[in-house]
Amino acid sequence: MEMKPNLRDEKGFSLVEITVALVVGSIGLLALAGILMYTMNASRYATDISIATALARQKIEQIKLTDYNYVVDQTEYSLDQNGNQITGGRYTRVTDVRENEAGFNTKTVEVTVYFSPSMEDTLKKAIVSTIIYP
């Protein structure tokens, strides 16, 4: 007499187990994708703030080399990361000069670099300031 093998003795995974494993794996991959997007955005912001700060410091250094009487307000649009004006540049640099704010015969110079299409976005800018005198 021949005996049929019992189905319970066979090894392997059931369709339900495989489906549950796929669902759990998919949820994990979606969570990793969200973390990846957040990390990429944070990295871009850090790069932008570094470049904006460098552009502001670059302008402050130019102003320090300029004659006191020629330091005036200025706005530069469409700058690239090196401070060159190009079509479609991402950065806007605004130089604000206020006289006699820090004392007689001084100028307070504040350079703001925006890295947003809107200059009203307060989170996407870098500000560097200094005081100069003749």
Side-chain angles (χ1 to χ4, degrees), residues 44-56:
R44 179 65 190 171
Y45 180 80
T47 300
D48 282 337
I49 199 76
S50 295
I51 291 170
T53 303
L55 288 171

PDB file of all heavy atoms in Angstrom, residues 44-56:
ATOM      1  N   ARG A  44      20.164  70.380   0.144  1.00  0.00           N
ATOM      2  CA  ARG A  44      20.054  71.512  -0.789  1.00  0.00           C
ATOM      3  C   ARG A  44      19.987  72.831  -0.016  1.00  0.00           C
ATOM      4  O   ARG A  44      20.596  73.821  -0.407  1.00  0.00           O
ATOM      5  CB  ARG A  44      18.822  71.336  -1.679  1.00  0.00           C
ATOM      6  CG  ARG A  44      18.621  72.461  -2.662  1.00  0.00           C
ATOM      7  CD  ARG A  44      19.753  72.487  -3.656  1.00  0.00           C
ATOM      8  NE  ARG A  44      19.678  73.709  -4.433  1.00  0.00           N
ATOM      9  CZ  ARG A  44      20.608  74.102  -5.253  1.00  0.00           C
ATOM     10  NH1 ARG A  44      21.675  73.383  -5.442  1.00  0.00           N
ATOM     11  NH2 ARG A  44      20.470  75.203  -5.909  1.00  0.00           N
ATOM     12  N   TYR A  45      19.225  72.862   1.070  1.00  0.00           N
ATOM     13  CA  TYR A  45      19.127  74.067   1.887  1.00  0.00           C
ATOM     14  C   TYR A  45      20.496  74.429   2.467  1.00  0.00           C
ATOM     15  O   TYR A  45      20.893  75.594   2.466  1.00  0.00           O
ATOM     16  CB  TYR A  45      18.100  73.885   3.008  1.00  0.00           C
ATOM     17  CG  TYR A  45      17.974  75.102   3.881  1.00  0.00           C
ATOM     18  CD1 TYR A  45      17.222  76.192   3.473  1.00  0.00           C
ATOM     19  CD2 TYR A  45      18.622  75.167   5.102  1.00  0.00           C
ATOM     20  CE1 TYR A  45      17.112  77.314   4.264  1.00  0.00           C
ATOM     21  CE2 TYR A  45      18.520  76.291   5.897  1.00  0.00           C
ATOM     22  CZ  TYR A  45      17.762  77.361   5.477  1.00  0.00           C
ATOM     23  OH  TYR A  45      17.662  78.477   6.265  1.00  0.00           O
ATOM     24  N   ALA A  46      21.213  73.440   2.957  1.00  0.00           N
ATOM     25  CA  ALA A  46      22.543  73.694   3.532  1.00  0.00           C
ATOM     26  C   ALA A  46      23.499  74.234   2.468  1.00  0.00           C
ATOM     27  O   ALA A  46      24.274  75.164   2.728  1.00  0.00           O
ATOM     28  CB  ALA A  46      23.103  72.417   4.148  1.00  0.00           C
ATOM     29  N   THR A  47      23.428  73.690   1.271  1.00  0.00           N
ATOM     30  CA  THR A  47      24.266  74.191   0.174  1.00  0.00           C
ATOM     31  C   THR A  47      23.904  75.632  -0.161  1.00  0.00           C
ATOM     32  O   THR A  47      24.775  76.494  -0.311  1.00  0.00           O
ATOM     33  CB  THR A  47      24.103  73.297  -1.076  1.00  0.00           C
ATOM     34  OG1 THR A  47      24.505  71.974  -0.738  1.00  0.00           O
ATOM     35  CG2 THR A  47      24.923  73.816  -2.238  1.00  0.00           C
ATOM     36  N   ASP A  48      22.604  75.904  -0.263  1.00  0.00           N
ATOM     37  CA  ASP A  48      22.151  77.261  -0.587  1.00  0.00           C
ATOM     38  C   ASP A  48      22.557  78.276   0.471  1.00  0.00           C
ATOM     39  O   ASP A  48      22.991  79.376   0.142  1.00  0.00           O
ATOM     40  CB  ASP A  48      20.632  77.286  -0.777  1.00  0.00           C
ATOM     41  CG  ASP A  48      20.203  76.753  -2.125  1.00  0.00           C
ATOM     42  OD1 ASP A  48      21.021  76.772  -3.056  1.00  0.00           O
ATOM     43  OD2 ASP A  48      19.040  76.325  -2.246  1.00  0.00           O
ATOM     44  N   ILE A  49      22.423  77.932   1.733  1.00  0.00           N
ATOM     45  CA  ILE A  49      22.770  78.882   2.795  1.00  0.00           C
ATOM     46  C   ILE A  49      24.275  79.113   2.825  1.00  0.00           C
ATOM     47  O   ILE A  49      24.733  80.232   3.076  1.00  0.00           O
ATOM     48  CB  ILE A  49      22.214  78.441   4.173  1.00  0.00           C
ATOM     49  CG1 ILE A  49      22.171  79.611   5.156  1.00  0.00           C
ATOM     50  CG2 ILE A  49      22.997  77.329   4.783  1.00  0.00           C
ATOM     51  CD1 ILE A  49      21.074  80.564   4.921  1.00  0.00           C
ATOM     52  N   SER A  50      25.064  78.099   2.511  1.00  0.00           N
ATOM     53  CA  SER A  50      26.520  78.262   2.447  1.00  0.00           C
ATOM     54  C   SER A  50      26.920  79.187   1.303  1.00  0.00           C
ATOM     55  O   SER A  50      27.757  80.082   1.471  1.00  0.00           O
ATOM     56  CB  SER A  50      27.215  76.914   2.275  1.00  0.00           C
ATOM     57  OG  SER A  50      27.023  76.112   3.402  1.00  0.00           O
ATOM     58  N   ILE A  51      26.321  78.980   0.140  1.00  0.00           N
ATOM     59  CA  ILE A  51      26.628  79.824  -1.013  1.00  0.00           C
ATOM     60  C   ILE A  51      26.159  81.252  -0.755  1.00  0.00           C
ATOM     61  O   ILE A  51      26.886  82.218  -1.046  1.00  0.00           O
ATOM     62  CB  ILE A  51      25.994  79.247  -2.293  1.00  0.00           C
ATOM     63  CG1 ILE A  51      26.690  77.944  -2.682  1.00  0.00           C
ATOM     64  CG2 ILE A  51      26.060  80.253  -3.444  1.00  0.00           C
ATOM     65  CD1 ILE A  51      26.000  77.176  -3.792  1.00  0.00           C
ATOM     66  N   ALA A  52      24.965  81.418  -0.192  1.00  0.00           N
ATOM     67  CA  ALA A  52      24.446  82.756   0.093  1.00  0.00           C
ATOM     68  C   ALA A  52      25.338  83.489   1.087  1.00  0.00           C
ATOM     69  O   ALA A  52      25.623  84.684   0.927  1.00  0.00           O
ATOM     70  CB  ALA A  52      23.015  82.659   0.628  1.00  0.00           C
ATOM     71  N   THR A  53      25.810  82.807   2.105  1.00  0.00           N
ATOM     72  CA  THR A  53      26.711  83.421   3.081  1.00  0.00           C
ATOM     73  C   THR A  53      28.030  83.820   2.420  1.00  0.00           C
ATOM     74  O   THR A  53      28.565  84.898   2.677  1.00  0.00           O
ATOM     75  CB  THR A  53      26.965  82.462   4.257  1.00  0.00           C
ATOM     76  OG1 THR A  53      25.711  82.113   4.849  1.00  0.00           O
ATOM     77  CG2 THR A  53      27.835  83.104   5.310  1.00  0.00           C
ATOM     78  N   ALA A  54      28.547  82.969   1.551  1.00  0.00           N
ATOM     79  CA  ALA A  54      29.792  83.287   0.842  1.00  0.00           C
ATOM     80  C   ALA A  54      29.604  84.500  -0.060  1.00  0.00           C
ATOM     81  O   ALA A  54      30.490  85.373  -0.134  1.00  0.00           O
ATOM     82  CB  ALA A  54      30.263  82.085   0.033  1.00  0.00           C
ATOM     83  N   LEU A  55      28.458  84.604  -0.741  1.00  0.00           N
ATOM     84  CA  LEU A  55      28.192  85.765  -1.591  1.00  0.00           C
ATOM     85  C   LEU A  55      28.073  87.046  -0.767  1.00  0.00           C
ATOM     86  O   LEU A  55      28.545  88.105  -1.186  1.00  0.00           O
ATOM     87  CB  LEU A  55      26.923  85.548  -2.414  1.00  0.00           C
ATOM     88  CG  LEU A  55      27.011  84.536  -3.546  1.00  0.00           C
ATOM     89  CD1 LEU A  55      25.636  84.268  -4.141  1.00  0.00           C
ATOM     90  CD2 LEU A  55      27.971  85.018  -4.621  1.00  0.00           C
ATOM     91  N   ALA A  56      27.467  86.950   0.405  1.00  0.00           N
ATOM     92  CA  ALA A  56      27.352  88.128   1.274  1.00  0.00           C
ATOM     93  C   ALA A  56      28.727  88.548   1.789  1.00  0.00           C
ATOM     94  O   ALA A  56      29.070  89.739   1.789  1.00  0.00           O
ATOM     95  CB  ALA A  56      26.409  87.826   2.437  1.00  0.00           C
TER      96      ALA A  56
END
